[in-house]
Amino acid sequence: LEEITPKPVQDTGNILKQGYLEKRSREHSFFGSEWQKRWCVLNRRTFYYYANEKSKQPKGTFSIEHCSARLAFHLRKDSRKRCCFELICPGKRTYEFTAPSPAEAEDWVDQIQFLLKDLSSLTIPYDEEDEEEPYNDVDSSDSANTASHNTTLNQEEPNIEMEEDDIYEVLPGKQPNKQ
């Protein structure tokens, strides 16, 4: 598992959703578990939660990869039960949240599900973190790993027919060298 480095709210990268949520604490007190207001930030792969929106250090962070998100009305018995959702991270834990409204809870779940679908597809959008990685298609023993780095090509490029024995790509405006 990769280690997620804590970042101030402003430095969490491409923020897709952020806002205050109530997070159920893991420790259970005599009165049951407590709900704590947290500033939550979702970027493309990571969920951060802070004490407030000005905090420099997150209270916690976790990768959303391999997690699932769903509305969870059973978490509360009060009037805010329709505002609840959970993030189930197999092998780790289930994170439980209450949003300010039912629509806001749905939006959090929709955003997370969208990201999870995106992360599980073979076409990964461009990400600045991948910029340093050199391209290597020769010494690739793991074909699944290679497929996960493919990006969608521009669909408007002309379709160029290749000769069967020609293994090189013909760039627009260039003619292949014949030997």
Side-chain angles (χ1 to χ4, degrees):
L1 289 172
E2 70 204 45
E3 194 60 38
I4 300 168
T5 51
K7 299 178 181 180
V9 175
Q10 301 84 350
D11 300 339
T12 54
N14 298 331
I15 295 173
L16 298 174
K17 185 149 182 71
Q18 62 185 345
Y20 278 105
L21 296 172
E22 287 181 26
K23 182 186 151 299
R24 182 179 261 175
S25 65
R26 219 195 306 205
E27 298 87 37
H28 297 284
S29 71
F30 176 73
F31 301 105
S33 56
E34 291 182 29
W35 292 91
Q36 298 156 327
K37 191 173 181 180
R38 296 285 181 241
W39 180 256
C40 298
V41 177
L42 177 66
N43 77 9
R44 292 170 74 181
R45 291 191 171 97
T46 311
F47 193 102
Y48 300 85
Y49 53 96
Y50 298 82
N52 60 53
E53 60 189 298
K54 297 187 182 3
S55 296
K56 297 278 185 237
Q57 285 290 101
K59 289 264 185 202
T61 96
F62 57 92
S63 169
I64 63 163
E65 207 166 355
H66 309 299
C67 294
S68 62
R70 67 178 183 202
L71 294 171
F73 301 150
H74 67 279
L75 295 179
R76 291 178 84 135
K77 304 287 182 241
D78 62 10
S79 62
R80 303 198 50 215
K81 67 181 183 184
R82 299 194 74 69
C83 302
C84 297
F85 68 96
E86 59 189 3
L87 271 154
I88 301 137
C89 303
K92 293 183 196 159
R93 68 178 268 208
T94 297
Y95 295 88
E96 300 168 337
F97 297 97
T98 302
S101 70
E104 196 61 20
E106 272 186 57
D107 193 42
W108 277 95
V109 170
D110 289 348
Q111 288 288 332
I112 293 164
Q113 286 176 340
F114 173 78
L115 285 172
L116 293 169
K117 194 166 132 189
D118 193 41
L119 285 171
S120 68
S121 77
L122 290 178
T123 304
I124 304 292
Y126 173 78
D127 190 353
E128 293 96 8
E129 293 171 359
D130 297 337
E131 195 172 345
E132 304 291 328
E133 194 172 303
Y135 178 73
N136 179 2
D137 68 346
V138 177
D139 185 29
S140 180
S141 57
D142 184 5
S143 60
N145 189 28
T146 304
S148 71
H149 291 295
N150 289 342
T151 54
T152 306
L153 295 174
N154 185 352
Q155 300 299 320
E156 299 185 22
E157 287 187 23
N159 191 7
I160 299 170
E161 292 294 319
M162 305 287 283
E163 291 180 25
E164 260 186 72
D165 61 341
D166 193 355
I167 62 168
Y168 298 100
E169 177 181 2
V170 176
L171 298 173
K174 303 247 181 188
Q175 292 299 317
N177 294 341
K178 296 287 182 193
Q179 270 135 21

